[in-house]
Amino acid sequence: MAIVVLNITKFRAMFPEFSNVTDEQLPYLFEQATDYLNNSEFSLVDDVIKRERLLYMLMAHLAYMRFGDDKGNGGAGIVGRLASASEGSASASFDAGTVEFRYMWYTQSPHGMDFWQATKVYRMANYYPG
């Protein structure tokens, strides 16, 4: 079984909105993505093409969270939705709302939600009748 090797050109073709993220930052995001999705011969995602796509979704999610996109969306580093705000002495609070904790982090970007939905098959129990 093969492992995925970062292809910066391919990532940029899939996610052109991250033109603001440098080529030097992308390998770090790729390595971090492998913390969430195993990129070894023991990965649950044994199809290397599918695993590449999923790892790139995670990279896009991480890029969105850290740096934002080229239109200024994301990048706030804030987890959760804006629950309240004030202006005098500037105050803001954030919460996760009614989102389940186990996937709340993924809801912070469209790419995270894409990843969560695409990997649901790997979170389902298998039943083998006896």
Side-chain angles (χ1 to χ4, degrees):
M1 178 185 303
I3 64 165
V4 176
V5 176
L6 174 61
N7 181 329
I8 291 175
T9 304
K10 192 170 190 178
F11 175 81
R12 292 207 179 278
M14 289 174 68
F15 300 100
E17 66 269 29
F18 295 111
S19 61
N20 57 311
V21 180
T22 67
D23 285 354
E24 292 76 26
Q25 292 168 318
L26 290 177
Y28 170 76
L29 293 175
F30 180 78
E31 288 300 317
Q32 189 176 10
T34 66
D35 293 338
Y36 298 98
L37 177 61
N38 186 341
N39 185 27
S40 75
E41 61 194 50
F42 303 108
S43 179
L44 287 175
V45 185
D46 57 1
D47 179 348
V48 74
I49 294 169
K50 185 175 196 175
R51 190 177 335 130
E52 178 185 49
R53 189 171 53 249
L54 292 171
L55 284 167
Y56 290 175
M57 281 183 205
L58 278 171
M59 284 178 65
H61 175 65
L62 292 164
Y64 185 88
M65 297 289 287
R66 283 221 172 51
F67 307 112
D69 63 19
D70 61 0
K71 294 179 182 49
N73 300 313
I78 297 168
V79 177
R81 65 184 174 134
L82 181 64
S84 67
S86 21
E87 194 171 319
S89 292
S91 173
S93 67
F94 300 85
D95 69 23
T98 58
V99 175
E100 288 183 45
F101 179 77
R102 64 190 174 117
Y103 68 91
M104 191 252 322
W105 181 74
Y106 295 98
T107 67
Q108 302 303 302
S109 81
H111 312 295
M113 287 300 293
D114 286 346
F115 175 84
W116 184 259
Q117 189 64 23
T119 57
K120 71 179 180 179
V121 67
Y122 302 105
R123 292 187 304 277
M124 300 170 83
N126 291 319
Y127 173 72
Y128 300 101

